[in-house]
Amino acid sequence: MHRFRSLHLSIEHAVKQWRWIARLKRTKQIRDHWLWIHQTDQATPVRSATKRCLLDFRRISCDGEQGRRFHALVSLLARGGYQVVMVPRLPFLQTGDRAFKASALNVAEPLTDDLAAGRFDLCLTDRGTDHPLADRTVQVVTSTRRPVSPRDLAVPYSFYPLIWDNHEDDRFAEYRQRDRVWRLFFGGHCSKASYQRIRKYRRMQPVDRYTTIRQLTDWYGDRTRNIRSDQMLDRCLSQRHDGFVMIDNAQYRSDATRWLELLSSADFFVAAPGCDYPLSHNVIESIAVGTIPLLEYDSLLTPPLTDGVNCIAYRGRDGLCEAIERLDAMSADAIATMRGEVIRYYEDHLSPNAFCQRLESASVNRVHLFSYLTPAAKAA
Protein backbone atom coordinates (compact mmCIF):
# COMPACT_ATOMS: atom_id res chain seq x y z
CA MET A 1 0.00 0.00 0.00
CA HIS A 2 2.82 2.42 0.89
CA ARG A 3 4.61 1.71 -2.41
CA PHE A 4 1.39 2.20 -4.35
CA ARG A 5 0.76 5.53 -2.63
CA SER A 6 4.34 6.67 -3.33
CA LEU A 7 3.96 5.74 -7.01
CA HIS A 8 0.64 7.58 -7.17
CA LEU A 9 2.18 10.72 -5.66
CA SER A 10 5.17 10.54 -8.01
CA ILE A 11 2.88 10.37 -11.03
CA GLU A 12 0.73 13.21 -9.69
CA HIS A 13 3.77 15.44 -9.13
CA ALA A 14 5.13 14.67 -12.59
CA VAL A 15 1.81 15.57 -14.22
CA LYS A 16 1.65 18.86 -12.32
CA GLN A 17 5.25 19.69 -13.17
CA TRP A 18 4.84 19.18 -16.92
CA ARG A 19 1.38 20.61 -17.44
CA TRP A 20 2.94 24.01 -18.17
CA ILE A 21 3.41 22.72 -21.71
CA ALA A 22 -0.35 22.31 -22.14
CA ARG A 23 -0.79 25.72 -20.53
CA LEU A 24 2.03 27.39 -22.41
CA LYS A 25 0.06 30.52 -23.34
CA ARG A 26 -1.05 31.11 -19.75
CA THR A 27 2.42 30.40 -18.38
CA LYS A 28 3.94 32.97 -20.73
CA GLN A 29 1.36 35.51 -19.60
CA ILE A 30 2.39 34.94 -15.98
CA ARG A 31 6.06 35.38 -16.89
CA ASP A 32 5.39 38.50 -18.93
CA HIS A 33 3.36 40.07 -16.12
CA TRP A 34 6.21 39.43 -13.71
CA LEU A 35 8.66 41.06 -16.10
CA TRP A 36 6.30 43.99 -16.60
CA ILE A 37 5.81 44.82 -12.91
CA HIS A 38 9.57 45.00 -12.43
CA GLN A 39 10.08 47.06 -15.57
CA THR A 40 7.43 49.57 -14.44
CA ASP A 41 8.69 49.86 -10.83
CA GLN A 42 5.54 48.35 -9.37
CA ALA A 43 7.50 45.60 -7.63
CA THR A 44 9.24 45.71 -4.24
CA PRO A 45 12.83 44.49 -4.75
CA VAL A 46 15.52 44.94 -2.10
CA ARG A 47 17.17 48.26 -2.95
CA SER A 48 19.62 48.45 -0.03
CA ALA A 49 21.04 44.93 -0.37
CA THR A 50 24.76 44.37 0.16
CA LYS A 51 24.83 40.80 -1.23
CA ARG A 52 23.38 39.13 -4.33
CA CYS A 53 21.61 35.77 -4.53
CA LEU A 54 20.47 34.13 -7.77
CA LEU A 55 17.55 31.68 -7.70
CA ASP A 56 17.46 29.14 -10.52
CA PHE A 57 14.45 26.85 -10.04
CA ARG A 58 12.62 24.57 -12.43
CA ARG A 59 10.42 22.43 -10.18
CA ILE A 60 7.20 23.71 -8.64
CA SER A 61 7.80 21.39 -5.70
CA CYS A 62 9.74 24.39 -4.32
CA ASP A 63 6.43 26.28 -3.98
CA GLY A 64 4.82 24.78 -0.90
CA GLU A 65 1.14 25.46 -0.23
CA GLN A 66 0.08 28.44 -2.39
CA GLY A 67 3.77 29.31 -2.70
CA ARG A 68 4.40 29.62 1.06
CA ARG A 69 7.79 27.89 1.16
CA PHE A 70 9.09 29.88 -1.79
CA HIS A 71 7.77 33.04 -0.12
CA ALA A 72 9.55 32.14 3.11
CA LEU A 73 12.85 31.54 1.32
CA VAL A 74 12.70 34.84 -0.59
CA SER A 75 11.68 36.75 2.55
CA LEU A 76 14.51 35.30 4.63
CA LEU A 77 17.06 36.13 1.94
CA ALA A 78 15.73 39.65 1.42
CA ARG A 79 15.60 40.46 5.14
CA GLY A 80 19.05 38.91 5.50
CA GLY A 81 20.58 41.51 3.19
CA TYR A 82 20.39 39.87 -0.24
CA GLN A 83 19.24 41.26 -3.54
CA VAL A 84 17.17 38.32 -4.82
CA VAL A 85 17.28 37.72 -8.57
CA MET A 86 15.57 34.87 -10.41
CA VAL A 87 16.19 33.10 -13.70
CA PRO A 88 12.84 33.33 -15.59
CA ARG A 89 12.17 29.65 -16.31
CA LEU A 90 8.69 28.74 -17.51
CA PRO A 91 8.41 25.36 -15.72
CA PHE A 92 8.76 27.16 -12.38
CA LEU A 93 6.79 30.27 -13.27
CA GLN A 94 3.69 28.29 -14.33
CA THR A 95 2.36 28.73 -10.76
CA GLY A 96 3.51 32.32 -10.43
CA ASP A 97 -0.05 33.55 -10.11
CA ARG A 98 -0.58 31.75 -6.80
CA ALA A 99 -1.18 34.30 -4.07
CA PHE A 100 1.98 33.95 -2.00
CA LYS A 101 4.27 32.98 -4.84
CA ALA A 102 3.16 36.07 -6.75
CA SER A 103 3.95 38.18 -3.70
CA ALA A 104 7.45 36.69 -3.47
CA LEU A 105 8.00 37.36 -7.17
CA ASN A 106 7.41 41.05 -6.44
CA VAL A 107 10.64 40.87 -4.43
CA ALA A 108 12.61 38.47 -6.66
CA GLU A 109 13.80 40.38 -9.70
CA PRO A 110 14.01 38.72 -13.13
CA LEU A 111 17.53 38.09 -14.37
CA THR A 112 18.34 40.61 -17.12
CA ASP A 113 21.49 41.25 -19.13
CA ASP A 114 22.35 44.17 -16.84
CA LEU A 115 22.00 42.07 -13.70
CA ALA A 116 23.92 39.20 -15.28
CA ALA A 117 26.87 41.52 -15.93
CA GLY A 118 27.94 41.28 -12.27
CA ARG A 119 28.82 38.24 -10.18
CA PHE A 120 26.43 36.73 -7.63
CA ASP A 121 27.65 35.80 -4.18
CA LEU A 122 25.38 32.79 -4.15
CA CYS A 123 23.08 30.73 -6.34
CA LEU A 124 20.33 28.50 -4.97
CA THR A 125 19.13 25.97 -7.52
CA ASP A 126 17.12 22.75 -7.64
CA ARG A 127 19.73 21.28 -9.99
CA GLY A 128 22.99 19.65 -8.96
CA THR A 129 25.39 21.72 -11.07
CA ASP A 130 27.28 24.93 -10.33
CA HIS A 131 25.92 28.12 -11.87
CA PRO A 132 28.44 30.06 -13.99
CA LEU A 133 27.28 33.47 -12.70
CA ALA A 134 27.76 32.68 -8.99
CA ASP A 135 30.78 32.37 -6.76
CA ARG A 136 29.06 29.55 -4.89
CA THR A 137 26.12 27.28 -5.75
CA VAL A 138 23.97 25.46 -3.19
CA GLN A 139 21.39 22.87 -4.17
CA VAL A 140 17.82 23.19 -2.87
CA VAL A 141 16.07 19.90 -2.10
CA THR A 142 12.42 19.12 -1.36
CA SER A 143 12.24 15.34 -0.86
CA THR A 144 10.71 14.22 2.45
CA ARG A 145 11.41 10.50 2.02
CA ARG A 146 14.91 10.50 3.48
CA PRO A 147 16.36 11.95 6.69
CA VAL A 148 17.93 15.37 6.54
CA SER A 149 21.70 15.23 6.08
CA PRO A 150 23.95 16.85 8.74
CA ARG A 151 25.16 19.25 6.03
CA ASP A 152 21.64 20.26 5.00
CA LEU A 153 20.40 23.67 6.10
CA ALA A 154 16.71 23.63 7.01
CA VAL A 155 14.71 26.61 5.80
CA PRO A 156 12.82 27.60 8.96
CA TYR A 157 9.07 27.15 9.02
CA SER A 158 7.82 30.68 8.71
CA PHE A 159 5.08 33.19 9.47
CA TYR A 160 1.90 33.68 7.58
CA PRO A 161 3.23 35.45 4.44
CA LEU A 162 1.32 38.71 5.05
CA ILE A 163 3.41 39.30 8.17
CA TRP A 164 6.46 39.52 5.93
CA ASP A 165 4.63 41.52 3.26
CA ASN A 166 3.33 44.06 5.80
CA HIS A 167 6.77 44.34 7.45
CA GLU A 168 5.33 43.37 10.81
CA ASP A 169 8.72 41.84 11.64
CA ASP A 170 10.04 45.41 11.97
CA ARG A 171 7.91 45.69 15.13
CA PHE A 172 9.07 42.52 16.91
CA ALA A 173 11.08 44.49 19.49
CA GLU A 174 7.97 46.55 20.30
CA TYR A 175 5.76 43.46 20.63
CA ARG A 176 8.27 41.73 22.89
CA GLN A 177 8.13 44.63 25.36
CA ARG A 178 4.35 44.67 25.69
CA ASP A 179 2.67 44.11 29.06
CA ARG A 180 1.36 40.55 29.28
CA VAL A 181 -2.19 40.67 30.58
CA TRP A 182 -3.31 37.10 29.75
CA ARG A 183 -1.86 33.87 31.07
CA LEU A 184 -2.89 31.54 28.22
CA PHE A 185 -4.24 32.44 24.77
CA PHE A 186 -5.51 30.70 21.65
CA GLY A 187 -6.75 32.28 18.45
CA GLY A 188 -7.77 30.56 15.23
CA HIS A 189 -10.14 28.04 13.73
CA CYS A 190 -10.88 24.96 15.82
CA SER A 191 -13.97 23.32 14.32
CA LYS A 192 -14.60 19.61 14.79
CA ALA A 193 -15.10 19.11 11.05
CA SER A 194 -11.69 20.52 10.08
CA TYR A 195 -9.46 19.95 13.08
CA GLN A 196 -10.36 16.58 14.61
CA ARG A 197 -7.47 14.78 12.93
CA ILE A 198 -4.20 15.41 11.08
CA ARG A 199 -4.90 14.56 7.45
CA LYS A 200 -1.60 14.37 5.60
CA TYR A 201 1.09 13.64 8.20
CA ARG A 202 1.48 10.14 9.63
CA ARG A 203 4.84 10.29 11.41
CA MET A 204 3.30 11.98 14.44
CA GLN A 205 -0.30 12.03 15.65
CA PRO A 206 -0.62 14.68 18.39
CA VAL A 207 -3.87 15.49 20.12
CA ASP A 208 -5.86 17.32 17.45
CA ARG A 209 -6.73 21.00 17.72
CA TYR A 210 -10.45 20.50 18.31
CA THR A 211 -9.84 18.12 21.21
CA THR A 212 -7.06 20.30 22.66
CA ILE A 213 -9.21 23.44 22.79
CA ARG A 214 -12.20 21.49 24.10
CA GLN A 215 -10.05 20.07 26.91
CA LEU A 216 -8.72 23.51 27.82
CA THR A 217 -12.17 25.10 28.00
CA ASP A 218 -13.37 22.21 30.18
CA TRP A 219 -10.32 22.55 32.44
CA TYR A 220 -10.63 26.30 32.96
CA GLY A 221 -14.43 26.36 33.08
CA ASP A 222 -15.65 29.81 34.12
CA ARG A 223 -12.05 31.08 33.94
CA THR A 224 -12.34 30.89 30.14
CA ARG A 225 -12.94 34.12 28.22
CA ASN A 226 -14.31 33.39 24.74
CA ILE A 227 -14.02 36.67 22.82
CA ARG A 228 -16.86 37.25 20.35
CA SER A 229 -16.69 40.98 19.51
CA ASP A 230 -14.38 43.98 19.21
CA GLN A 231 -15.84 45.43 22.38
CA MET A 232 -15.20 42.25 24.36
CA LEU A 233 -11.66 42.09 22.98
CA ASP A 234 -10.89 45.64 24.11
CA ARG A 235 -12.28 44.89 27.58
CA CYS A 236 -10.15 41.77 27.89
CA LEU A 237 -7.02 43.65 26.82
CA SER A 238 -7.60 46.26 29.52
CA GLN A 239 -7.44 43.85 32.46
CA ARG A 240 -5.34 40.98 33.76
CA HIS A 241 -6.78 37.50 33.26
CA ASP A 242 -5.00 34.47 34.70
CA GLY A 243 -7.23 31.90 33.00
CA PHE A 244 -7.69 30.98 29.34
CA VAL A 245 -8.52 33.58 26.68
CA MET A 246 -9.61 32.27 23.30
CA ILE A 247 -10.89 33.45 19.94
CA ASP A 248 -12.71 30.94 17.77
CA ASN A 249 -12.56 32.39 14.27
CA ALA A 250 -15.83 30.72 13.41
CA GLN A 251 -17.50 33.04 15.95
CA TYR A 252 -15.35 36.17 15.75
CA ARG A 253 -12.28 37.33 13.86
CA SER A 254 -10.31 40.39 14.87
CA ASP A 255 -8.64 42.62 12.32
CA ALA A 256 -5.66 40.69 10.91
CA THR A 257 -3.34 43.63 11.63
CA ARG A 258 -3.90 43.05 15.37
CA TRP A 259 -2.80 39.41 15.41
CA LEU A 260 0.72 39.97 16.75
CA GLU A 261 -0.64 42.47 19.27
CA LEU A 262 -2.94 39.75 20.62
CA LEU A 263 -0.19 37.12 20.63
CA SER A 264 2.12 39.43 22.55
CA SER A 265 -0.56 40.12 25.17
CA ALA A 266 -0.19 36.61 26.61
CA ASP A 267 2.46 34.76 28.57
CA PHE A 268 1.66 31.46 26.82
CA PHE A 269 0.11 30.52 23.48
CA VAL A 270 -1.71 27.27 22.72
CA ALA A 271 0.15 26.17 19.57
CA ALA A 272 -2.42 23.53 18.68
CA PRO A 273 -1.67 21.46 15.56
CA GLY A 274 -2.97 22.33 12.10
CA CYS A 275 -5.39 20.29 10.02
CA ASP A 276 -2.98 18.82 7.44
CA TYR A 277 0.29 18.91 9.39
CA PRO A 278 1.06 19.38 13.09
CA LEU A 279 3.37 22.37 12.61
CA SER A 280 1.50 25.66 12.21
CA HIS A 281 2.71 29.17 11.34
CA ASN A 282 1.14 30.45 14.58
CA VAL A 283 3.83 28.82 16.71
CA ILE A 284 6.57 30.66 14.77
CA GLU A 285 4.73 33.96 15.21
CA SER A 286 4.37 33.22 18.92
CA ILE A 287 8.09 32.53 19.32
CA ALA A 288 9.01 35.66 17.34
CA VAL A 289 7.18 37.97 19.78
CA GLY A 290 8.37 36.12 22.89
CA THR A 291 5.15 34.32 23.79
CA ILE A 292 5.92 30.87 25.18
CA PRO A 293 4.34 28.06 23.12
CA LEU A 294 2.36 25.23 24.69
CA LEU A 295 2.64 22.36 22.21
CA GLU A 296 3.04 18.65 21.55
CA TYR A 297 5.16 18.74 18.38
CA ASP A 298 8.29 20.42 19.83
CA SER A 299 10.52 17.91 18.00
CA LEU A 300 9.41 19.16 14.56
CA LEU A 301 11.25 22.45 14.84
CA THR A 302 14.93 22.62 13.86
CA PRO A 303 16.53 22.38 16.33
CA PRO A 304 13.83 20.91 18.62
CA LEU A 305 12.43 23.14 21.33
CA THR A 306 13.31 22.26 24.93
CA ASP A 307 10.56 21.67 27.47
CA GLY A 308 10.80 24.04 30.42
CA VAL A 309 13.37 26.22 28.66
CA ASN A 310 11.71 27.70 25.55
CA CYS A 311 8.37 25.91 25.51
CA ILE A 312 5.93 23.90 27.60
CA ALA A 313 5.75 20.50 25.91
CA TYR A 314 3.35 17.67 26.61
CA ARG A 315 2.39 14.23 25.31
CA GLY A 316 -1.24 13.18 25.03
CA ARG A 317 -4.31 14.40 26.89
CA ASP A 318 -2.94 13.48 30.32
CA GLY A 319 0.28 15.33 29.51
CA LEU A 320 -1.74 18.40 28.54
CA CYS A 321 -3.37 18.45 31.98
CA GLU A 322 0.04 18.28 33.66
CA ALA A 323 1.35 21.06 31.39
CA ILE A 324 -1.55 23.34 32.33
CA GLU A 325 -0.84 22.78 36.01
CA ARG A 326 2.82 23.64 35.45
CA LEU A 327 2.21 26.90 33.59
CA ASP A 328 -0.51 27.99 36.03
CA ALA A 329 1.94 27.54 38.92
CA MET A 330 4.87 29.39 37.32
CA SER A 331 6.11 32.60 38.91
CA ALA A 332 6.51 35.88 37.05
CA ASP A 333 10.30 35.56 37.24
CA ALA A 334 10.26 32.04 35.79
CA ILE A 335 8.01 33.19 32.95
CA ALA A 336 10.28 36.15 32.21
CA THR A 337 13.29 33.82 32.04
CA MET A 338 11.49 31.51 29.64
CA ARG A 339 10.39 34.45 27.52
CA GLY A 340 14.02 35.48 27.14
CA GLU A 341 14.92 31.96 26.01
CA VAL A 342 12.07 31.93 23.49
CA ILE A 343 13.31 35.20 21.97
CA ARG A 344 16.86 33.81 21.95
CA TYR A 345 15.65 30.72 20.09
CA TYR A 346 14.06 32.89 17.40
CA GLU A 347 17.13 35.07 16.95
CA ASP A 348 19.54 32.11 16.93
CA HIS A 349 17.57 29.72 14.71
CA LEU A 350 14.56 31.27 12.93
CA SER A 351 15.54 34.85 12.12
CA PRO A 352 16.73 35.98 8.66
CA ASN A 353 20.18 36.86 10.01
CA ALA A 354 20.62 33.41 11.56
CA PHE A 355 19.46 31.68 8.38
CA CYS A 356 21.72 33.70 6.10
CA GLN A 357 24.75 33.30 8.36
CA ARG A 358 24.33 29.53 8.26
CA LEU A 359 23.71 29.61 4.52
CA GLU A 360 27.03 31.39 4.02
CA SER A 361 28.90 28.74 6.01
CA ALA A 362 31.14 26.44 3.98
CA SER A 363 29.75 23.47 5.94
CA VAL A 364 26.33 23.80 4.26
CA ASN A 365 26.01 21.49 1.26
CA ARG A 366 22.27 21.76 0.52
CA VAL A 367 19.20 23.75 1.57
CA HIS A 368 16.12 21.74 2.57
CA LEU A 369 12.72 23.38 2.13
CA PHE A 370 10.66 20.74 3.94
CA SER A 371 12.85 19.39 6.75
CA TYR A 372 9.89 19.37 9.16
CA LEU A 373 8.22 16.62 7.06
CA THR A 374 11.17 14.24 6.88
CA PRO A 375 11.82 11.04 8.88
CA ALA A 376 14.50 12.94 10.82
CA ALA A 377 11.75 15.08 12.36
CA LYS A 378 10.24 11.94 13.88
CA ALA A 379 13.53 10.77 15.30
CA ALA A 380 14.31 14.12 16.92
Side-chain angles (χ1 to χ4, degrees):
M1 179 62 73
H2 176 71
R3 290 182 178 178
F4 176 79
R5 184 173 182 272
S6 295
L7 177 61
H8 173 78
L9 289 174
S10 296
I11 294 173
E12 180 183 356
H13 292 163
V15 170
K16 288 180 178 180
Q17 178 62 51
W18 289 100
R19 65 185 176 185
W20 70 271
I21 297 175
R23 302 175 176 179
L24 183 58
K25 181 178 179 181
R26 175 57 182 160
T27 301
K28 287 183 175 180
Q29 289 174 342
I30 294 170
R31 179 202 59 190
D32 293 344
H33 178 71
W34 174 49
L35 297 174
W36 176 77
I37 62 174
H38 281 275
Q39 291 167 353
T40 55
D41 291 331
Q42 297 186 52
T44 54
V46 183
R47 299 300 187 190
S48 59
T50 58
K51 299 170 286 188
R52 305 176 82 213
C53 179
L54 180 66
L55 302 182
D56 188 5
F57 294 158
R58 290 161 175 80
R59 298 195 301 270
I60 58 173
S61 57
C62 296
D63 286 3
E65 181 187 359
Q66 296 179 308
R68 290 191 191 204
R69 295 309 288 155
F70 176 67
H71 188 286
L73 177 63
V74 170
S75 298
L76 288 164
L77 289 168
R79 295 297 203 278
Y82 280 95
Q83 177 189 24
V84 184
V85 178
M86 181 145 214
V87 180
R89 299 196 184 277
L90 290 176
F92 182 72
L93 291 172
Q94 64 175 303
T95 52
D97 56 347
R98 291 180 177 176
F100 303 129
K101 186 169 182 175
S103 175
L105 287 172
N106 279 338
V107 176
E109 303 177 59
L111 180 65
T112 62
D113 291 341
D114 288 343
L115 289 172
R119 297 289 295 174
F120 287 87
D121 300 279
L122 178 68
C123 174
L124 300 183
T125 178
D126 54 8
R127 305 192 75 185
T129 56
D130 290 344
H131 200 286
L133 295 179
D135 294 335
R136 179 170 173 247
T137 301
V138 178
Q139 185 182 12
V140 174
V141 294
T142 59
S143 174
T144 61
R145 297 177 183 176
R146 299 181 182 87
V148 175
S149 163
R151 296 190 65 186
D152 286 350
L153 172 63
V155 176
Y157 202 81
S158 195
F159 319 122
Y160 190 68
L162 288 180
I163 289 180
W164 290 117
D165 293 347
N166 294 334
H167 290 269
E168 282 289 290
D169 52 308
D170 292 340
R171 301 181 61 192
F172 283 168
E174 173 190 338
Y175 289 127
R176 292 168 182 174
Q177 296 300 318
R178 283 179 56 84
D179 291 335
R180 309 281 168 155
V181 294
W182 302 334
R183 176 55 61 101
L184 181 64
F185 171 63
F186 169 80
H189 290 284
C190 53
S191 69
K192 183 176 182 179
S194 299
Y195 289 93
Q196 199 170 17
R197 64 187 178 92
I198 307 295
R199 292 189 178 91
K200 296 182 180 179
Y201 191 79
R202 295 291 180 264
R203 295 192 177 109
M204 174 187 290
Q205 286 295 304
V207 179
D208 62 84
R209 183 182 294 191
Y210 170 78
T211 302
T212 299
I213 301 305
R214 182 93 176 258
Q215 185 170 342
L216 287 169
T217 55
D218 289 346
W219 175 279
Y220 281 99
D222 59 8
R223 294 171 61 210
T224 299
R225 297 290 181 270
N226 190 354
I227 296 174
R228 295 187 174 90
S229 68
D230 290 341
Q231 293 77 14
M232 188 174 182
L233 174 60
D234 290 338
R235 285 198 302 271
C236 283
L237 285 170
S238 67
Q239 54 190 315
R240 176 73 191 177
H241 184 64
D242 289 321
F244 177 39
V245 176
M246 65 168 287
I247 296 176
D248 180 351
N249 283 347
Q251 300 175 347
Y252 165 72
R253 194 182 188 100
S254 65
D255 190 300
T257 60
R258 300 190 68 181
W259 172 242
L260 294 185
E261 173 196 350
L262 303 185
L263 265 182
S264 58
S265 297
D267 290 321
F268 299 91
F269 175 69
V270 184
C275 57
D276 290 332
Y277 308 102
L279 194 55
S280 174
H281 60 85
N282 288 348
V283 70
I284 309 301
E285 294 150 11
S286 167
I287 291 169
V289 299
T291 300
I292 304 161
L294 169 69
L295 77 173
E296 192 172 4
Y297 50 85
D298 45 295
S299 65
L300 295 187
L301 280 82
T302 303
L305 294 171
T306 303
D307 180 36
V309 176
N310 47 34
C311 75
I312 298 294
Y314 62 91
R315 297 293 181 267
R317 298 186 64 175
D318 290 342
L320 177 57
C321 292
E322 295 171 1
I324 299 168
E325 291 178 339
R326 288 166 55 200
L327 69 85
D328 276 347
M330 288 184 68
S331 67
D333 287 344
I335 292 172
T337 299
M338 284 191 71
R339 181 176 303 120
E341 291 300 322
V342 169
I343 294 169
R344 185 194 305 275
Y345 180 93
Y346 175 80
E347 295 297 340
D348 289 350
H349 303 292
L350 303 180
S351 69
N353 286 340
F355 173 73
C356 289
Q357 286 174 10
R358 287 184 172 84
L359 179 60
E360 292 157 8
S361 168
S363 63
V364 170
N365 188 43
R366 303 186 306 180
V367 168
H368 204 303
L369 278 174
F370 298 95
S371 63
Y372 54 93
L373 298 179
T374 64
K378 179 182 179 182

